[in-house]
PDB file of all heavy atoms in Angstrom:
ATOM      1  N   ALA A  30       1.468  -1.200   6.365  1.00 94.00           N
ATOM      2  CA  ALA A  30       0.141  -1.229   6.971  1.00 94.00           C
ATOM      3  C   ALA A  30       0.221  -1.391   8.488  1.00 94.00           C
ATOM      4  O   ALA A  30      -0.537  -0.766   9.233  1.00 94.00           O
ATOM      5  CB  ALA A  30      -0.672  -2.362   6.367  1.00 94.00           C
ATOM      6  N   LYS A  31       1.152  -2.212   8.945  1.00 94.00           N
ATOM      7  CA  LYS A  31       1.311  -2.449  10.387  1.00 94.00           C
ATOM      8  C   LYS A  31       1.801  -1.193  11.097  1.00 94.00           C
ATOM      9  O   LYS A  31       1.306  -0.826  12.167  1.00 94.00           O
ATOM     10  CB  LYS A  31       2.283  -3.601  10.613  1.00 94.00           C
ATOM     11  CG  LYS A  31       2.380  -4.055  12.060  1.00 94.00           C
ATOM     12  CD  LYS A  31       3.285  -5.269  12.190  1.00 94.00           C
ATOM     13  CE  LYS A  31       3.368  -5.731  13.645  1.00 94.00           C
ATOM     14  NZ  LYS A  31       4.255  -6.913  13.803  1.00 94.00           N
ATOM     15  N   GLN A  32       2.790  -0.505  10.491  1.00 96.00           N
ATOM     16  CA  GLN A  32       3.332   0.716  11.098  1.00 96.00           C
ATOM     17  C   GLN A  32       2.307   1.856  11.069  1.00 96.00           C
ATOM     18  O   GLN A  32       2.184   2.613  12.029  1.00 96.00           O
ATOM     19  CB  GLN A  32       4.591   1.159  10.359  1.00 96.00           C
ATOM     20  CG  GLN A  32       5.799   0.254  10.559  1.00 96.00           C
ATOM     21  CD  GLN A  32       7.046   0.879   9.962  1.00 96.00           C
ATOM     22  OE1 GLN A  32       7.472   1.958  10.377  1.00 96.00           O
ATOM     23  NE2 GLN A  32       7.644   0.207   8.987  1.00 96.00           N
ATOM     24  N   GLN A  33       1.599   1.951   9.953  1.00 95.00           N
ATOM     25  CA  GLN A  33       0.694   3.081   9.755  1.00 95.00           C
ATOM     26  C   GLN A  33      -0.719   2.830  10.304  1.00 95.00           C
ATOM     27  O   GLN A  33      -1.533   3.751  10.347  1.00 95.00           O
ATOM     28  CB  GLN A  33       0.571   3.403   8.255  1.00 95.00           C
ATOM     29  CG  GLN A  33       1.851   3.969   7.634  1.00 95.00           C
ATOM     30  CD  GLN A  33       2.106   5.372   8.081  1.00 95.00           C
ATOM     31  OE1 GLN A  33       2.614   5.576   9.183  1.00 95.00           O
ATOM     32  NE2 GLN A  33       1.781   6.349   7.255  1.00 95.00           N
ATOM     33  N   LYS A  34      -1.005   1.599  10.666  1.00 92.00           N
ATOM     34  CA  LYS A  34      -2.353   1.237  11.132  1.00 92.00           C
ATOM     35  C   LYS A  34      -3.391   1.589  10.062  1.00 92.00           C
ATOM     36  O   LYS A  34      -4.443   2.182  10.334  1.00 92.00           O
ATOM     37  CB  LYS A  34      -2.704   1.965  12.440  1.00 92.00           C
ATOM     38  CG  LYS A  34      -1.696   1.784  13.561  1.00 92.00           C
ATOM     39  CD  LYS A  34      -1.601   0.352  14.024  1.00 92.00           C
ATOM     40  CE  LYS A  34      -0.629   0.196  15.193  1.00 92.00           C
ATOM     41  NZ  LYS A  34      -0.402  -1.222  15.563  1.00 92.00           N
ATOM     42  N   ASN A  35      -3.073   1.234   8.798  1.00 91.00           N
ATOM     43  CA  ASN A  35      -4.005   1.509   7.706  1.00 91.00           C
ATOM     44  C   ASN A  35      -4.290   0.229   6.911  1.00 91.00           C
ATOM     45  O   ASN A  35      -3.817  -0.863   7.270  1.00 91.00           O
ATOM     46  CB  ASN A  35      -3.489   2.639   6.800  1.00 91.00           C
ATOM     47  CG  ASN A  35      -2.189   2.285   6.081  1.00 91.00           C
ATOM     48  OD1 ASN A  35      -1.876   1.113   5.861  1.00 91.00           O
ATOM     49  ND2 ASN A  35      -1.430   3.302   5.710  1.00 91.00           N
ATOM     50  N   CYS A  36      -5.046   0.357   5.823  1.00 88.00           N
ATOM     51  CA  CYS A  36      -5.498  -0.818   5.072  1.00 88.00           C
ATOM     52  C   CYS A  36      -4.766  -0.996   3.753  1.00 88.00           C
ATOM     53  O   CYS A  36      -5.280  -1.657   2.844  1.00 88.00           O
ATOM     54  CB  CYS A  36      -6.999  -0.705   4.816  1.00 88.00           C
ATOM     55  SG  CYS A  36      -7.456   0.746   3.839  1.00 88.00           S
ATOM     56  N   VAL A  37      -3.572  -0.407   3.596  1.00 92.00           N
ATOM     57  CA  VAL A  37      -2.883  -0.467   2.317  1.00 92.00           C
ATOM     58  C   VAL A  37      -2.563  -1.900   1.897  1.00 92.00           C
ATOM     59  O   VAL A  37      -2.628  -2.245   0.714  1.00 92.00           O
ATOM     60  CB  VAL A  37      -1.602   0.406   2.334  1.00 92.00           C
ATOM     61  CG1 VAL A  37      -0.539  -0.170   3.271  1.00 92.00           C
ATOM     62  CG2 VAL A  37      -1.050   0.575   0.919  1.00 92.00           C
ATOM     63  N   TYR A  38      -2.247  -2.767   2.849  1.00 91.00           N
ATOM     64  CA  TYR A  38      -1.924  -4.170   2.522  1.00 91.00           C
ATOM     65  C   TYR A  38      -3.192  -4.939   2.152  1.00 91.00           C
ATOM     66  O   TYR A  38      -3.243  -5.624   1.122  1.00 91.00           O
ATOM     67  CB  TYR A  38      -1.224  -4.828   3.712  1.00 91.00           C
ATOM     68  CG  TYR A  38      -1.055  -6.328   3.575  1.00 91.00           C
ATOM     69  CD1 TYR A  38      -0.118  -6.864   2.689  1.00 91.00           C
ATOM     70  CD2 TYR A  38      -1.836  -7.214   4.322  1.00 91.00           C
ATOM     71  CE1 TYR A  38       0.035  -8.235   2.547  1.00 91.00           C
ATOM     72  CE2 TYR A  38      -1.702  -8.583   4.188  1.00 91.00           C
ATOM     73  CZ  TYR A  38      -0.757  -9.099   3.313  1.00 91.00           C
ATOM     74  OH  TYR A  38      -0.614 -10.450   3.173  1.00 91.00           O
ATOM     75  N   LYS A  39      -4.214  -4.804   2.945  1.00 85.00           N
ATOM     76  CA  LYS A  39      -5.438  -5.574   2.757  1.00 85.00           C
ATOM     77  C   LYS A  39      -6.225  -5.136   1.520  1.00 85.00           C
ATOM     78  O   LYS A  39      -6.727  -5.973   0.769  1.00 85.00           O
ATOM     79  CB  LYS A  39      -6.316  -5.428   4.003  1.00 85.00           C
ATOM     80  CG  LYS A  39      -7.596  -6.243   3.958  1.00 85.00           C
ATOM     81  CD  LYS A  39      -8.385  -6.053   5.248  1.00 85.00           C
ATOM     82  CE  LYS A  39      -9.698  -6.856   5.198  1.00 85.00           C
ATOM     83  NZ  LYS A  39     -10.503  -6.668   6.428  1.00 85.00           N
ATOM     84  N   ASN A  40      -6.317  -3.828   1.307  1.00 85.00           N
ATOM     85  CA  ASN A  40      -7.206  -3.317   0.250  1.00 85.00           C
ATOM     86  C   ASN A  40      -6.516  -2.912  -1.045  1.00 85.00           C
ATOM     87  O   ASN A  40      -7.194  -2.740  -2.067  1.00 85.00           O
ATOM     88  CB  ASN A  40      -8.005  -2.119   0.773  1.00 85.00           C
ATOM     89  CG  ASN A  40      -9.000  -2.505   1.841  1.00 85.00           C
ATOM     90  OD1 ASN A  40      -9.206  -3.687   2.102  1.00 85.00           O
ATOM     91  ND2 ASN A  40      -9.614  -1.522   2.470  1.00 85.00           N
ATOM     92  N   TYR A  41      -5.194  -2.728  -1.020  1.00 91.00           N
ATOM     93  CA  TYR A  41      -4.531  -2.180  -2.201  1.00 91.00           C
ATOM     94  C   TYR A  41      -3.458  -3.074  -2.815  1.00 91.00           C
ATOM     95  O   TYR A  41      -2.939  -2.756  -3.886  1.00 91.00           O
ATOM     96  CB  TYR A  41      -3.917  -0.810  -1.871  1.00 91.00           C
ATOM     97  CG  TYR A  41      -4.942   0.257  -1.590  1.00 91.00           C
ATOM     98  CD1 TYR A  41      -5.462   0.440  -0.311  1.00 91.00           C
ATOM     99  CD2 TYR A  41      -5.419   1.071  -2.610  1.00 91.00           C
ATOM    100  CE1 TYR A  41      -6.417   1.402  -0.046  1.00 91.00           C
ATOM    101  CE2 TYR A  41      -6.373   2.044  -2.366  1.00 91.00           C
ATOM    102  CZ  TYR A  41      -6.872   2.207  -1.082  1.00 91.00           C
ATOM    103  OH  TYR A  41      -7.823   3.173  -0.840  1.00 91.00           O
ATOM    104  N   SER A  42      -3.104  -4.178  -2.168  1.00 91.00           N
ATOM    105  CA  SER A  42      -2.031  -5.042  -2.683  1.00 91.00           C
ATOM    106  C   SER A  42      -2.305  -5.519  -4.100  1.00 91.00           C
ATOM    107  O   SER A  42      -1.450  -5.419  -4.990  1.00 91.00           O
ATOM    108  CB  SER A  42      -1.845  -6.252  -1.761  1.00 91.00           C
ATOM    109  OG  SER A  42      -1.366  -5.854  -0.506  1.00 91.00           O
ATOM    110  N   GLU A  43      -3.495  -6.041  -4.329  1.00 88.00           N
ATOM    111  CA  GLU A  43      -3.813  -6.598  -5.643  1.00 88.00           C
ATOM    112  C   GLU A  43      -3.942  -5.500  -6.698  1.00 88.00           C
ATOM    113  O   GLU A  43      -3.451  -5.650  -7.822  1.00 88.00           O
ATOM    114  CB  GLU A  43      -5.104  -7.416  -5.552  1.00 88.00           C
ATOM    115  CG  GLU A  43      -5.295  -8.331  -6.736  1.00 88.00           C
ATOM    116  CD  GLU A  43      -6.238  -9.481  -6.444  1.00 88.00           C
ATOM    117  OE1 GLU A  43      -5.994 -10.245  -5.491  1.00 88.00           O
ATOM    118  OE2 GLU A  43      -7.226  -9.596  -7.185  1.00 88.00           O
ATOM    119  N   ASP A  44      -4.586  -4.374  -6.351  1.00 90.00           N
ATOM    120  CA  ASP A  44      -4.705  -3.261  -7.304  1.00 90.00           C
ATOM    121  C   ASP A  44      -3.332  -2.727  -7.693  1.00 90.00           C
ATOM    122  O   ASP A  44      -3.098  -2.380  -8.859  1.00 90.00           O
ATOM    123  CB  ASP A  44      -5.537  -2.127  -6.689  1.00 90.00           C
ATOM    124  CG  ASP A  44      -7.014  -2.466  -6.620  1.00 90.00           C
ATOM    125  OD1 ASP A  44      -7.429  -3.434  -7.286  1.00 90.00           O
ATOM    126  OD2 ASP A  44      -7.747  -1.779  -5.894  1.00 90.00           O
ATOM    127  N   TYR A  45      -2.436  -2.661  -6.720  1.00 95.00           N
ATOM    128  CA  TYR A  45      -1.067  -2.195  -6.993  1.00 95.00           C
ATOM    129  C   TYR A  45      -0.340  -3.189  -7.882  1.00 95.00           C
ATOM    130  O   TYR A  45       0.325  -2.808  -8.857  1.00 95.00           O
ATOM    131  CB  TYR A  45      -0.327  -1.999  -5.666  1.00 95.00           C
ATOM    132  CG  TYR A  45       1.141  -1.651  -5.808  1.00 95.00           C
ATOM    133  CD1 TYR A  45       1.543  -0.556  -6.568  1.00 95.00           C
ATOM    134  CD2 TYR A  45       2.128  -2.415  -5.184  1.00 95.00           C
ATOM    135  CE1 TYR A  45       2.885  -0.230  -6.706  1.00 95.00           C
ATOM    136  CE2 TYR A  45       3.470  -2.092  -5.312  1.00 95.00           C
ATOM    137  CZ  TYR A  45       3.840  -1.000  -6.072  1.00 95.00           C
ATOM    138  OH  TYR A  45       5.172  -0.688  -6.207  1.00 95.00           O
ATOM    139  N   ALA A  46      -0.456  -4.472  -7.576  1.00 92.00           N
ATOM    140  CA  ALA A  46       0.230  -5.507  -8.346  1.00 92.00           C
ATOM    141  C   ALA A  46      -0.188  -5.487  -9.812  1.00 92.00           C
ATOM    142  O   ALA A  46       0.638  -5.685 -10.706  1.00 92.00           O
ATOM    143  CB  ALA A  46      -0.038  -6.876  -7.734  1.00 92.00           C
ATOM    144  N   TYR A  47      -1.466  -5.215 -10.072  1.00 89.00           N
ATOM    145  CA  TYR A  47      -1.985  -5.259 -11.444  1.00 89.00           C
ATOM    146  C   TYR A  47      -2.032  -3.891 -12.118  1.00 89.00           C
ATOM    147  O   TYR A  47      -2.600  -3.731 -13.194  1.00 89.00           O
ATOM    148  CB  TYR A  47      -3.375  -5.904 -11.444  1.00 89.00           C
ATOM    149  CG  TYR A  47      -3.287  -7.409 -11.348  1.00 89.00           C
ATOM    150  CD1 TYR A  47      -3.215  -8.044 -10.101  1.00 89.00           C
ATOM    151  CD2 TYR A  47      -3.233  -8.201 -12.494  1.00 89.00           C
ATOM    152  CE1 TYR A  47      -3.114  -9.422 -10.002  1.00 89.00           C
ATOM    153  CE2 TYR A  47      -3.130  -9.578 -12.406  1.00 89.00           C
ATOM    154  CZ  TYR A  47      -3.069 -10.182 -11.154  1.00 89.00           C
ATOM    155  OH  TYR A  47      -2.960 -11.553 -11.067  1.00 89.00           O
ATOM    156  N   GLY A  48      -1.431  -2.888 -11.494  1.00 91.00           N
ATOM    157  CA  GLY A  48      -1.325  -1.577 -12.130  1.00 91.00           C
ATOM    158  C   GLY A  48      -2.570  -0.735 -12.112  1.00 91.00           C
ATOM    159  O   GLY A  48      -2.674   0.253 -12.848  1.00 91.00           O
ATOM    160  N   ASP A  49      -3.547  -1.108 -11.267  1.00 89.00           N
ATOM    161  CA  ASP A  49      -4.764  -0.304 -11.171  1.00 89.00           C
ATOM    162  C   ASP A  49      -4.537   0.973 -10.366  1.00 89.00           C
ATOM    163  O   ASP A  49      -5.316   1.921 -10.449  1.00 89.00           O
ATOM    164  CB  ASP A  49      -5.889  -1.109 -10.525  1.00 89.00           C
ATOM    165  CG  ASP A  49      -6.315  -2.290 -11.401  1.00 89.00           C
ATOM    166  OD1 ASP A  49      -6.059  -2.232 -12.623  1.00 89.00           O
ATOM    167  OD2 ASP A  49      -6.882  -3.253 -10.870  1.00 89.00           O
ATOM    168  N   THR A  50      -3.484   0.995  -9.551  1.00 94.00           N
ATOM    169  CA  THR A  50      -3.106   2.176  -8.781  1.00 94.00           C
ATOM    170  C   THR A  50      -1.625   2.073  -8.440  1.00 94.00           C
ATOM    171  O   THR A  50      -1.012   1.011  -8.604  1.00 94.00           O
ATOM    172  CB  THR A  50      -3.962   2.301  -7.502  1.00 94.00           C
ATOM    173  OG1 THR A  50      -3.807   3.613  -6.971  1.00 94.00           O
ATOM    174  CG2 THR A  50      -3.564   1.280  -6.445  1.00 94.00           C
ATOM    175  N   ASP A  51      -1.022   3.161  -7.976  1.00 96.00           N
ATOM    176  CA  ASP A  51       0.399   3.180  -7.580  1.00 96.00           C
ATOM    177  C   ASP A  51       0.511   3.523  -6.105  1.00 96.00           C
ATOM    178  O   ASP A  51      -0.132   4.458  -5.634  1.00 96.00           O
ATOM    179  CB  ASP A  51       1.183   4.210  -8.399  1.00 96.00           C
ATOM    180  CG  ASP A  51       1.181   3.889  -9.892  1.00 96.00           C
ATOM    181  OD1 ASP A  51       0.967   2.711 -10.227  1.00 96.00           O
ATOM    182  OD2 ASP A  51       1.383   4.802 -10.707  1.00 96.00           O
ATOM    183  N   ILE A  52       1.336   2.757  -5.383  1.00 97.00           N
ATOM    184  CA  ILE A  52       1.531   2.976  -3.956  1.00 97.00           C
ATOM    185  C   ILE A  52       2.988   3.352  -3.682  1.00 97.00           C
ATOM    186  O   ILE A  52       3.909   2.662  -4.114  1.00 97.00           O
ATOM    187  CB  ILE A  52       1.165   1.712  -3.138  1.00 97.00           C
ATOM    188  CG1 ILE A  52      -0.291   1.313  -3.396  1.00 97.00           C
ATOM    189  CG2 ILE A  52       1.405   1.944  -1.654  1.00 97.00           C
ATOM    190  CD1 ILE A  52      -1.323   2.325  -2.947  1.00 97.00           C
ATOM    191  N   TYR A  53       3.171   4.464  -2.950  1.00 98.00           N
ATOM    192  CA  TYR A  53       4.511   4.950  -2.605  1.00 98.00           C
ATOM    193  C   TYR A  53       4.604   5.175  -1.096  1.00 98.00           C
ATOM    194  O   TYR A  53       3.599   5.412  -0.423  1.00 98.00           O
ATOM    195  CB  TYR A  53       4.798   6.271  -3.317  1.00 98.00           C
ATOM    196  CG  TYR A  53       4.921   6.174  -4.825  1.00 98.00           C
ATOM    197  CD1 TYR A  53       3.800   6.300  -5.638  1.00 98.00           C
ATOM    198  CD2 TYR A  53       6.168   5.973  -5.422  1.00 98.00           C
ATOM    199  CE1 TYR A  53       3.903   6.218  -7.016  1.00 98.00           C
ATOM    200  CE2 TYR A  53       6.277   5.897  -6.807  1.00 98.00           C
ATOM    201  CZ  TYR A  53       5.150   6.012  -7.598  1.00 98.00           C
ATOM    202  OH  TYR A  53       5.271   5.925  -8.963  1.00 98.00           O
ATOM    203  N   PHE A  54       5.843   5.128  -0.607  1.00 98.00           N
ATOM    204  CA  PHE A  54       6.109   5.387   0.809  1.00 98.00           C
ATOM    205  C   PHE A  54       7.022   6.585   0.930  1.00 98.00           C
ATOM    206  O   PHE A  54       8.094   6.626   0.315  1.00 98.00           O
ATOM    207  CB  PHE A  54       6.777   4.189   1.481  1.00 98.00           C
ATOM    208  CG  PHE A  54       6.012   2.898   1.365  1.00 98.00           C
ATOM    209  CD1 PHE A  54       6.683   1.678   1.389  1.00 98.00           C
ATOM    210  CD2 PHE A  54       4.631   2.891   1.247  1.00 98.00           C
ATOM    211  CE1 PHE A  54       5.992   0.490   1.285  1.00 98.00           C
ATOM    212  CE2 PHE A  54       3.927   1.710   1.152  1.00 98.00           C
ATOM    213  CZ  PHE A  54       4.608   0.500   1.166  1.00 98.00           C
ATOM    214  N   LEU A  55       6.603   7.577   1.704  1.00 97.00           N
ATOM    215  CA  LEU A  55       7.459   8.726   2.013  1.00 97.00           C
ATOM    216  C   LEU A  55       8.163   8.428   3.339  1.00 97.00           C
ATOM    217  O   LEU A  55       7.508   8.094   4.327  1.00 97.00           O
ATOM    218  CB  LEU A  55       6.623   9.997   2.117  1.00 97.00           C
ATOM    219  CG  LEU A  55       7.390  11.312   2.361  1.00 97.00           C
ATOM    220  CD1 LEU A  55       6.648  12.471   1.725  1.00 97.00           C
ATOM    221  CD2 LEU A  55       7.597  11.596   3.845  1.00 97.00           C
ATOM    222  N   ARG A  56       9.495   8.546   3.341  1.00 97.00           N
ATOM    223  CA  ARG A  56      10.287   8.260   4.543  1.00 97.00           C
ATOM    224  C   ARG A  56      11.285   9.405   4.780  1.00 97.00           C
ATOM    225  O   ARG A  56      11.520  10.239   3.900  1.00 97.00           O
ATOM    226  CB  ARG A  56      11.076   6.947   4.370  1.00 97.00           C
ATOM    227  CG  ARG A  56      10.207   5.734   3.989  1.00 97.00           C
ATOM    228  CD  ARG A  56       9.560   5.132   5.191  1.00 97.00           C
ATOM    229  NE  ARG A  56       8.582   4.106   4.907  1.00 97.00           N
ATOM    230  CZ  ARG A  56       8.826   2.807   4.797  1.00 97.00           C
ATOM    231  NH1 ARG A  56      10.067   2.359   4.907  1.00 97.00           N
ATOM    232  NH2 ARG A  56       7.843   1.965   4.584  1.00 97.00           N
ATOM    233  N   GLU A  57      11.872   9.409   5.964  1.00 96.00           N
ATOM    234  CA  GLU A  57      12.927  10.372   6.270  1.00 96.00           C
ATOM    235  C   GLU A  57      14.272   9.746   5.920  1.00 96.00           C
ATOM    236  O   GLU A  57      14.482   8.546   6.150  1.00 96.00           O
ATOM    237  CB  GLU A  57      12.888  10.754   7.753  1.00 96.00           C
ATOM    238  CG  GLU A  57      11.644  11.547   8.136  1.00 96.00           C
ATOM    239  CD  GLU A  57      11.611  11.884   9.621  1.00 96.00           C
ATOM    240  OE1 GLU A  57      12.513  11.426  10.356  1.00 96.00           O
ATOM    241  OE2 GLU A  57      10.684  12.603  10.041  1.00 96.00           O
TER     242      GLU A  57
END
């Protein structure tokens, strides 16, 4: 979230933890 300047940490942490959604990171 800090690198991307987005809300993935604030808005998606709990949903991801409980399986309501899946979060992935694409890297080089």
Side-chain angles (χ1 to χ4, degrees):
K31 188 176 181 180
Q32 290 188 61
Q33 292 288 80
K34 306 296 183 187
N35 64 25
C36 61
V37 68
Y38 170 73
K39 183 179 179 181
N40 292 352
Y41 293 87
S42 294
E43 196 159 304
D44 287 345
Y45 174 55
Y47 281 87
D49 294 338
T50 195
D51 298 338
I52 302 296
Y53 293 89
F54 304 152
L55 183 150
R56 306 278 172 90
E57 293 179 356

